[in-house]
Amino acid sequence: MRPWLLLAAALLPGAAAAGHDVSLGVTAVTLTNGGVYNVTAPRLGLEAAYAYELGSWRLGGGLRWAPSGRGNLPVEVYARALLSTKLGRWQPAVGPELGVSGLPVIISPVGGFPDDLSRQQAMQLGPAYVAVHAAPLRFAFQRFTVSALEVQWGTALNQPGSTLRLQFGLVHLGVTL
């Protein structure tokens, strides 16, 4: 059989029953635009997520809370659609995420920068973002799931490409209800 047929068969929704998955995790988020707001230290946070599993699709969303650092409201709300496959216990997933973030903050420049620079930087850091989320190390053990080293790469929606959003899901523990 051709390799692309095997891939299509693995990714198409199968006879698996739908399930509800809830998980808790620890995450690290870095936001930068390469300018004055250039924070290289990640913001550690907690994440609570829900996913509705239907065959190969995981549809859901969640809430992230990253209290470290400055910001108006250190919370993110997101929705995502992940395409997943099951190879024994290994169940990697990848797909888009769309969210609203309160994490971006503007650090006032010091030392000879124009007065309106903070306002210009703020225009680049809109609250809505889009990202690609990948969970390559996701494993299922009966009703329980463990995921480590998830990666997410994205940008703000108001000016795509003006900012970089990089997130690492350190560990997520979940249960299927």
Side-chain angles (χ1 to χ4, degrees), residues 57-87:
W57 290 97
R58 295 177 43 81
L59 308 173
L63 181 72
R64 284 187 200 97
W65 178 59
S68 62
R70 296 180 288 175
N72 298 336
L73 181 62
V75 174
E76 292 183 334
V77 178
Y78 64 88
R80 66 170 69 137
L82 301 178
L83 191 55
S84 179
T85 187
K86 295 181 182 184
L87 302 169

mmCIF file of all heavy atoms in Angstrom, residues 57-87:
data_model
loop_
_atom_site.group_PDB
_atom_site.id
_atom_site.type_symbol
_atom_site.label_atom_id
_atom_site.label_comp_id
_atom_site.label_asym_id
_atom_site.label_seq_id
_atom_site.Cartn_x
_atom_site.Cartn_y
_atom_site.Cartn_z
ATOM 1 N N TRP A 57 -9.737 13.714 15.747
ATOM 2 C CA TRP A 57 -9.779 15.149 16.057
ATOM 3 C C TRP A 57 -9.910 15.385 17.545
ATOM 4 O O TRP A 57 -10.638 14.683 18.239
ATOM 5 C CB TRP A 57 -10.944 15.811 15.322
ATOM 6 C CG TRP A 57 -10.727 15.878 13.858
ATOM 7 C CD1 TRP A 57 -11.208 15.002 12.919
ATOM 8 C CD2 TRP A 57 -9.943 16.827 13.165
ATOM 9 N NE1 TRP A 57 -10.776 15.373 11.678
ATOM 10 C CE2 TRP A 57 -9.988 16.499 11.796
ATOM 11 C CE3 TRP A 57 -9.208 17.938 13.555
ATOM 12 C CZ2 TRP A 57 -9.335 17.226 10.825
ATOM 13 C CZ3 TRP A 57 -8.549 18.672 12.594
ATOM 14 C CH2 TRP A 57 -8.623 18.320 11.246
ATOM 15 N N ARG A 58 -9.214 16.407 18.024
ATOM 16 C CA ARG A 58 -9.315 16.872 19.409
ATOM 17 C C ARG A 58 -9.732 18.345 19.346
ATOM 18 O O ARG A 58 -8.923 19.196 19.037
ATOM 19 C CB ARG A 58 -7.984 16.731 20.135
ATOM 20 C CG ARG A 58 -7.532 15.297 20.296
ATOM 21 C CD ARG A 58 -6.174 15.186 20.961
ATOM 22 N NE ARG A 58 -5.975 16.061 22.081
ATOM 23 C CZ ARG A 58 -6.422 15.826 23.332
ATOM 24 N NH1 ARG A 58 -7.084 14.723 23.580
ATOM 25 N NH2 ARG A 58 -6.192 16.687 24.296
ATOM 26 N N LEU A 59 -10.996 18.623 19.618
ATOM 27 C CA LEU A 59 -11.535 19.974 19.553
ATOM 28 C C LEU A 59 -11.751 20.490 20.967
ATOM 29 O O LEU A 59 -12.358 19.801 21.780
ATOM 30 C CB LEU A 59 -12.853 19.983 18.788
ATOM 31 C CG LEU A 59 -12.833 19.319 17.412
ATOM 32 C CD1 LEU A 59 -14.234 19.234 16.844
ATOM 33 C CD2 LEU A 59 -11.909 20.064 16.481
ATOM 34 N N GLY A 60 -11.246 21.662 21.264
ATOM 35 C CA GLY A 60 -11.431 22.161 22.614
ATOM 36 C C GLY A 60 -10.803 23.510 22.833
ATOM 37 O O GLY A 60 -10.579 24.288 21.904
ATOM 38 N N GLY A 61 -10.484 23.766 24.082
ATOM 39 C CA GLY A 61 -9.907 25.041 24.450
ATOM 40 C C GLY A 61 -9.448 25.015 25.880
ATOM 41 O O GLY A 61 -9.409 23.961 26.521
ATOM 42 N N GLY A 62 -9.100 26.186 26.373
ATOM 43 C CA GLY A 62 -8.620 26.226 27.736
ATOM 44 C C GLY A 62 -8.294 27.621 28.219
ATOM 45 O O GLY A 62 -8.589 28.624 27.562
ATOM 46 N N LEU A 63 -7.640 27.632 29.360
ATOM 47 C CA LEU A 63 -7.297 28.846 30.052
ATOM 48 C C LEU A 63 -5.870 28.729 30.570
ATOM 49 O O LEU A 63 -5.500 27.690 31.132
ATOM 50 C CB LEU A 63 -8.265 29.035 31.229
ATOM 51 C CG LEU A 63 -8.125 30.256 32.089
ATOM 52 C CD1 LEU A 63 -8.585 31.488 31.325
ATOM 53 C CD2 LEU A 63 -8.966 30.081 33.341
ATOM 54 N N ARG A 64 -5.066 29.768 30.340
ATOM 55 C CA ARG A 64 -3.697 29.819 30.866
ATOM 56 C C ARG A 64 -3.585 30.983 31.828
ATOM 57 O O ARG A 64 -4.109 32.065 31.564
ATOM 58 C CB ARG A 64 -2.685 30.036 29.741
ATOM 59 C CG ARG A 64 -2.424 28.850 28.926
ATOM 60 C CD ARG A 64 -1.270 29.101 27.942
ATOM 61 N NE ARG A 64 -1.383 28.121 26.891
ATOM 62 C CZ ARG A 64 -1.962 28.328 25.724
ATOM 63 N NH1 ARG A 64 -2.447 29.506 25.433
ATOM 64 N NH2 ARG A 64 -2.041 27.364 24.844
ATOM 65 N N TRP A 65 -2.866 30.777 32.913
ATOM 66 C CA TRP A 65 -2.626 31.820 33.900
ATOM 67 C C TRP A 65 -1.131 31.905 34.117
ATOM 68 O O TRP A 65 -0.513 30.924 34.535
ATOM 69 C CB TRP A 65 -3.359 31.490 35.187
ATOM 70 C CG TRP A 65 -3.145 32.463 36.291
ATOM 71 C CD1 TRP A 65 -3.420 33.792 36.277
ATOM 72 C CD2 TRP A 65 -2.605 32.168 37.579
ATOM 73 N NE1 TRP A 65 -3.088 34.346 37.487
ATOM 74 C CE2 TRP A 65 -2.592 33.371 38.303
ATOM 75 C CE3 TRP A 65 -2.146 31.008 38.189
ATOM 76 C CZ2 TRP A 65 -2.126 33.450 39.602
ATOM 77 C CZ3 TRP A 65 -1.684 31.087 39.478
ATOM 78 C CH2 TRP A 65 -1.682 32.296 40.178
ATOM 79 N N ALA A 66 -0.536 33.046 33.795
ATOM 80 C CA ALA A 66 0.914 33.248 33.917
ATOM 81 C C ALA A 66 1.160 34.462 34.806
ATOM 82 O O ALA A 66 1.329 35.578 34.316
ATOM 83 C CB ALA A 66 1.547 33.433 32.551
ATOM 84 N N PRO A 67 1.172 34.268 36.121
ATOM 85 C CA PRO A 67 1.243 35.406 37.037
ATOM 86 C C PRO A 67 2.595 36.110 37.097
ATOM 87 O O PRO A 67 2.665 37.240 37.533
ATOM 88 C CB PRO A 67 0.913 34.782 38.393
ATOM 89 C CG PRO A 67 1.388 33.381 38.270
ATOM 90 C CD PRO A 67 1.125 32.999 36.834
ATOM 91 N N SER A 68 3.662 35.478 36.670
ATOM 92 C CA SER A 68 4.980 36.106 36.770
ATOM 93 C C SER A 68 5.110 37.241 35.765
ATOM 94 O O SER A 68 4.559 37.185 34.677
ATOM 95 C CB SER A 68 6.083 35.068 36.535
ATOM 96 O OG SER A 68 5.978 34.530 35.234
ATOM 97 N N GLY A 69 5.825 38.260 36.141
ATOM 98 C CA GLY A 69 6.034 39.391 35.238
ATOM 99 C C GLY A 69 4.925 40.410 35.347
ATOM 100 O O GLY A 69 3.961 40.248 36.090
ATOM 101 N N ARG A 70 5.070 41.485 34.593
ATOM 102 C CA ARG A 70 4.083 42.560 34.612
ATOM 103 C C ARG A 70 3.049 42.319 33.518
ATOM 104 O O ARG A 70 3.318 41.660 32.538
ATOM 105 C CB ARG A 70 4.772 43.893 34.379
ATOM 106 C CG ARG A 70 5.747 44.228 35.488
ATOM 107 C CD ARG A 70 6.403 45.554 35.236
ATOM 108 N NE ARG A 70 7.349 45.410 34.123
ATOM 109 C CZ ARG A 70 8.016 46.404 33.598
ATOM 110 N NH1 ARG A 70 7.840 47.618 34.046
ATOM 111 N NH2 ARG A 70 8.863 46.205 32.605
ATOM 112 N N GLY A 71 1.867 42.893 33.726
ATOM 113 C CA GLY A 71 0.828 42.779 32.722
ATOM 114 C C GLY A 71 -0.505 43.201 33.273
ATOM 115 O O GLY A 71 -0.712 43.230 34.486
ATOM 116 N N ASN A 72 -1.434 43.533 32.388
ATOM 117 C CA ASN A 72 -2.751 43.963 32.817
ATOM 118 C C ASN A 72 -3.535 42.813 33.425
ATOM 119 O O ASN A 72 -4.025 42.904 34.527
ATOM 120 C CB ASN A 72 -3.526 44.537 31.628
ATOM 121 C CG ASN A 72 -2.847 45.757 31.063
ATOM 122 O OD1 ASN A 72 -2.108 46.433 31.754
ATOM 123 N ND2 ASN A 72 -3.105 46.034 29.802
ATOM 124 N N LEU A 73 -3.658 41.752 32.707
ATOM 125 C CA LEU A 73 -4.405 40.583 33.139
ATOM 126 C C LEU A 73 -3.629 39.358 32.654
ATOM 127 O O LEU A 73 -3.636 39.069 31.460
ATOM 128 C CB LEU A 73 -5.814 40.601 32.535
ATOM 129 C CG LEU A 73 -6.734 39.456 32.908
ATOM 130 C CD1 LEU A 73 -6.991 39.446 34.410
ATOM 131 C CD2 LEU A 73 -8.048 39.577 32.165
ATOM 132 N N PRO A 74 -2.936 38.651 33.521
ATOM 133 C CA PRO A 74 -2.047 37.572 33.072
ATOM 134 C C PRO A 74 -2.789 36.277 32.717
ATOM 135 O O PRO A 74 -2.457 35.201 33.182
ATOM 136 C CB PRO A 74 -1.126 37.380 34.270
ATOM 137 C CG PRO A 74 -1.980 37.732 35.444
ATOM 138 C CD PRO A 74 -2.879 38.844 34.968
ATOM 139 N N VAL A 75 -3.819 36.391 31.870
ATOM 140 C CA VAL A 75 -4.658 35.248 31.513
ATOM 141 C C VAL A 75 -4.783 35.158 29.998
ATOM 142 O O VAL A 75 -4.826 36.175 29.309
ATOM 143 C CB VAL A 75 -6.061 35.381 32.144
ATOM 144 C CG1 VAL A 75 -6.993 34.291 31.686
ATOM 145 C CG2 VAL A 75 -5.961 35.384 33.659
ATOM 146 N N GLU A 76 -4.845 33.936 29.495
ATOM 147 C CA GLU A 76 -5.138 33.685 28.083
ATOM 148 C C GLU A 76 -6.302 32.707 27.995
ATOM 149 O O GLU A 76 -6.400 31.775 28.791
ATOM 150 C CB GLU A 76 -3.941 33.057 27.380
ATOM 151 C CG GLU A 76 -2.767 33.966 27.245
ATOM 152 C CD GLU A 76 -1.630 33.346 26.476
ATOM 153 O OE1 GLU A 76 -1.487 32.111 26.443
ATOM 154 O OE2 GLU A 76 -0.865 34.117 25.894
ATOM 155 N N VAL A 77 -7.155 32.933 27.015
ATOM 156 C CA VAL A 77 -8.266 32.026 26.706
ATOM 157 C C VAL A 77 -8.079 31.612 25.260
ATOM 158 O O VAL A 77 -7.816 32.450 24.398
ATOM 159 C CB VAL A 77 -9.627 32.721 26.894
ATOM 160 C CG1 VAL A 77 -10.762 31.788 26.522
ATOM 161 C CG2 VAL A 77 -9.782 33.214 28.324
ATOM 162 N N TYR A 78 -8.191 30.314 24.969
ATOM 163 C CA TYR A 78 -7.920 29.843 23.614
ATOM 164 C C TYR A 78 -8.849 28.712 23.207
ATOM 165 O O TYR A 78 -9.466 28.053 24.044
ATOM 166 C CB TYR A 78 -6.460 29.380 23.493
ATOM 167 C CG TYR A 78 -6.139 28.188 24.358
ATOM 168 C CD1 TYR A 78 -6.327 26.892 23.894
ATOM 169 C CD2 TYR A 78 -5.645 28.354 25.638
ATOM 170 C CE1 TYR A 78 -6.042 25.801 24.682
ATOM 171 C CE2 TYR A 78 -5.350 27.265 26.435
ATOM 172 C CZ TYR A 78 -5.550 25.989 25.958
ATOM 173 O OH TYR A 78 -5.275 24.917 26.758
ATOM 174 N N ALA A 79 -8.922 28.502 21.893
ATOM 175 C CA ALA A 79 -9.623 27.366 21.284
ATOM 176 C C ALA A 79 -8.649 26.733 20.302
ATOM 177 O O ALA A 79 -7.852 27.421 19.675
ATOM 178 C CB ALA A 79 -10.880 27.828 20.568
ATOM 179 N N ARG A 80 -8.714 25.418 20.186
ATOM 180 C CA ARG A 80 -7.814 24.741 19.250
ATOM 181 C C ARG A 80 -8.481 23.508 18.646
ATOM 182 O O ARG A 80 -9.411 22.946 19.212
ATOM 183 C CB ARG A 80 -6.500 24.361 19.915
ATOM 184 C CG ARG A 80 -6.583 23.350 20.991
ATOM 185 C CD ARG A 80 -5.234 22.811 21.460
ATOM 186 N NE ARG A 80 -4.427 23.744 22.173
ATOM 187 C CZ ARG A 80 -3.736 23.449 23.275
ATOM 188 N NH1 ARG A 80 -3.763 22.245 23.778
ATOM 189 N NH2 ARG A 80 -3.011 24.350 23.868
ATOM 190 N N ALA A 81 -7.972 23.132 17.484
ATOM 191 C CA ALA A 81 -8.404 21.924 16.778
ATOM 192 C C ALA A 81 -7.135 21.153 16.419
ATOM 193 O O ALA A 81 -6.367 21.592 15.564
ATOM 194 C CB ALA A 81 -9.192 22.270 15.528
ATOM 195 N N LEU A 82 -6.935 20.034 17.068
ATOM 196 C CA LEU A 82 -5.727 19.243 16.850
ATOM 197 C C LEU A 82 -6.058 17.964 16.102
ATOM 198 O O LEU A 82 -7.044 17.292 16.410
ATOM 199 C CB LEU A 82 -5.051 18.894 18.184
ATOM 200 C CG LEU A 82 -4.620 20.059 19.066
ATOM 201 C CD1 LEU A 82 -4.017 19.547 20.363
ATOM 202 C CD2 LEU A 82 -3.638 20.937 18.328
ATOM 203 N N LEU A 83 -5.230 17.636 15.148
ATOM 204 C CA LEU A 83 -5.324 16.378 14.422
ATOM 205 C C LEU A 83 -4.367 15.413 15.092
ATOM 206 O O LEU A 83 -3.193 15.715 15.284
ATOM 207 C CB LEU A 83 -4.948 16.592 12.961
ATOM 208 C CG LEU A 83 -5.224 15.450 12.000
ATOM 209 C CD1 LEU A 83 -6.681 15.026 12.056
ATOM 210 C CD2 LEU A 83 -4.848 15.876 10.596
ATOM 211 N N SER A 84 -4.880 14.260 15.470
ATOM 212 C CA SER A 84 -4.092 13.311 16.246
ATOM 213 C C SER A 84 -4.150 11.930 15.606
ATOM 214 O O SER A 84 -5.063 11.611 14.854
ATOM 215 C CB SER A 84 -4.649 13.244 17.682
ATOM 216 O OG SER A 84 -3.942 12.325 18.449
ATOM 217 N N THR A 85 -3.160 11.144 15.917
ATOM 218 C CA THR A 85 -3.150 9.759 15.475
ATOM 219 C C THR A 85 -2.770 8.880 16.652
ATOM 220 O O THR A 85 -2.153 9.355 17.613
ATOM 221 C CB THR A 85 -2.182 9.548 14.294
ATOM 222 O OG1 THR A 85 -2.334 8.230 13.806
ATOM 223 C CG2 THR A 85 -0.751 9.798 14.700
ATOM 224 N N LYS A 86 -3.156 7.630 16.610
ATOM 225 C CA LYS A 86 -2.861 6.700 17.699
ATOM 226 C C LYS A 86 -1.963 5.595 17.172
ATOM 227 O O LYS A 86 -2.340 4.851 16.285
ATOM 228 C CB LYS A 86 -4.156 6.112 18.263
ATOM 229 C CG LYS A 86 -5.027 7.149 18.913
ATOM 230 C CD LYS A 86 -6.290 6.543 19.477
ATOM 231 C CE LYS A 86 -7.145 7.643 20.082
ATOM 232 N NZ LYS A 86 -8.328 7.141 20.737
ATOM 233 N N LEU A 87 -0.786 5.534 17.729
ATOM 234 C CA LEU A 87 0.174 4.482 17.403
ATOM 235 C C LEU A 87 0.543 3.794 18.712
ATOM 236 O O LEU A 87 1.553 4.120 19.332
ATOM 237 C CB LEU A 87 1.409 5.065 16.712
ATOM 238 C CG LEU A 87 1.135 5.836 15.428
ATOM 239 C CD1 LEU A 87 2.358 6.587 14.971
ATOM 240 C CD2 LEU A 87 0.665 4.878 14.349
#
